[in-house]
Amino acid sequence: MVSIAVCDDELLDCCNIAKDIRMFMEQTGITYIVRQFNSGKDLLHSIESFDIIFLDILMCGMDGMKTARYLRDKAYCKIIIFISSSREYVFEAYDVEAFHYLVKPVDNYKLKSVLWRALKKTGHNSREYIIINKERQGRKLLLRDIFYFEINGRIIYVHTEKGILDYYGKIGDLEKELHDRGFFRCHKGFLVNLDHVGSYNRHEVILDNGERIVIAKRRYNEFCREILIWMKKMEGIYES
């Protein structure tokens, strides 16, 4: 189970963010709890230990930055995500090893994206998978175990850490399903997992298992943009 705290002295903001988090967590199928706090002091006095904390910076009394420092002084090593109506504290956020910095009003899509990456970092997104159907049976495949997908006619070959699987499907449909989930179509016949890219050049992608996948000339520039964005996301904090 993943435990999440939302701390904001603006009651409406606190409620809305908590509501959006609950709606997203319901879609993931992950067991969770979300607690709301309206001051840093209330959060610090809580007997619960949270995996992820969404923390407003500009609060009356003990502000979010001071609250975060107290948490770190207590050897709190879990994820802190700052929320603020001001961008001026983004560099201070590095001092307390914040995972991300969201600017109010918080875009719902951005909130979901950041939360999903936080879940991935904590290991609570282990249920991220796709279902493939073969011979009238469904099979669950964890995305983290997949190196790349290869298409040959109507057959999709799934190259995984445990071997190669195949099933009937359309690479275009698969590309849409995996949009913004760390996969990129570097060639009309290949969809690669960016988490497994070890290096690349203008002609090919070298995966961390040693395999080489061709990059279409017209897709190279877009691939460079996408992998840099993905790497930046995986590093954690960046300003929205």
Side-chain angles (χ1 to χ4, degrees):
M1 182 176 69
V2 59
S3 55
I4 303 170
V6 181
C7 184
D8 193 327
D9 64 346
E10 294 288 340
L11 297 183
L12 184 59
D13 287 349
C14 189
C15 289
N16 286 338
I17 292 171
K19 180 186 70 175
D20 289 341
I21 290 172
R22 290 188 180 99
M23 289 178 63
F24 174 73
M25 292 303 299
E26 286 295 326
Q27 298 170 9
T28 67
I30 300 171
T31 305
Y32 72 95
I33 58 169
V34 177
R35 304 292 192 214
Q36 296 173 223
F37 300 90
N38 298 125
S39 73
K41 186 175 293 185
D42 288 344
L43 174 63
L44 292 173
H45 287 167
S46 172
I47 62 173
E48 295 180 80
S49 177
F50 297 99
D51 298 298
I52 302 170
I53 295 178
F54 287 83
L55 184 58
D56 185 26
I57 292 180
L58 301 176
M59 295 190 292
C60 294
M62 182 181 292
D63 64 34
M65 199 61 69
K66 189 173 183 180
T67 302
R69 291 194 180 99
Y70 270 108
L71 288 169
R72 293 305 189 213
D73 287 343
K74 292 167 62 177
Y76 180 86
C77 59
K78 301 300 179 65
I79 289 176
I80 296 175
I81 299 169
F82 280 123
I83 306 170
S84 179
S85 56
S86 171
R87 297 174 183 269
E88 67 177 286
Y89 302 97
V90 66
F91 293 109
E92 288 185 52
Y94 283 98
D95 294 337
V96 291
E97 301 177 28
F99 180 75
H100 203 98
Y101 192 105
L102 292 168
V103 178
K104 294 182 180 181
V106 179
D107 177 76
N108 187 256
Y109 177 83
K110 176 66 71 175
L111 175 66
K112 292 178 180 179
S113 176
V114 171
L115 179 54
W116 186 249
R117 294 200 303 276
L119 291 169
K120 183 172 184 176
K121 188 175 179 66
T122 62
H124 284 93
N125 72 328
S126 58
R127 296 183 65 175
E128 186 179 12
Y129 57 82
I130 61 168
I131 301 293
I132 65 171
N133 293 291
K134 184 176 181 179
E135 298 175 351
R136 299 183 180 180
Q137 290 186 339
R139 179 167 181 174
K140 180 174 72 174
L141 296 179
L142 296 177
L143 297 185
R144 67 187 183 201
D145 293 338
I146 299 171
F147 289 108
Y148 64 96
F149 296 90
E150 178 184 6
I151 185 73
N152 187 352
R154 287 294 305 276
I155 300 178
I156 294 177
Y157 295 91
V158 191
H159 295 254
T160 76
E161 295 180 346
K162 299 178 181 179
I164 302 174
L165 305 171
D166 64 83
Y167 69 103
Y168 286 100
K170 296 180 180 179
I171 196 75
D173 293 341
L174 188 61
E175 183 181 13
K176 292 178 182 177
E177 182 181 354
L178 297 178
H179 175 69
D180 200 35
R181 297 171 75 182
F183 285 77
F184 182 81
R185 193 173 179 182
C186 61
H187 183 276
K188 66 179 181 180
F190 297 99
L191 187 66
V192 299
N193 186 342
L194 297 178
D195 274 341
H196 286 296
V197 173
S199 61
Y200 61 93
N201 55 49
R202 299 191 70 89
H203 308 290
E204 61 185 4
V205 175
I206 299 93
L207 302 179
D208 51 22
N209 68 344
E211 291 193 66
R212 296 171 180 265
I213 309 297
V214 65
I215 299 180
K217 184 177 180 180
R218 65 185 181 87
R219 297 178 189 263
Y220 176 72
N221 289 335
E222 186 180 358
F223 172 82
C224 290
R225 287 194 298 270
E226 288 298 315
I227 195 166
L228 288 175
I229 290 171
W230 185 252
M231 289 170 62
K232 193 174 183 181
K233 286 180 179 180
M234 293 305 101
E235 287 172 359
I237 183 171
Y238 68 95
E239 187 179 356
S240 62

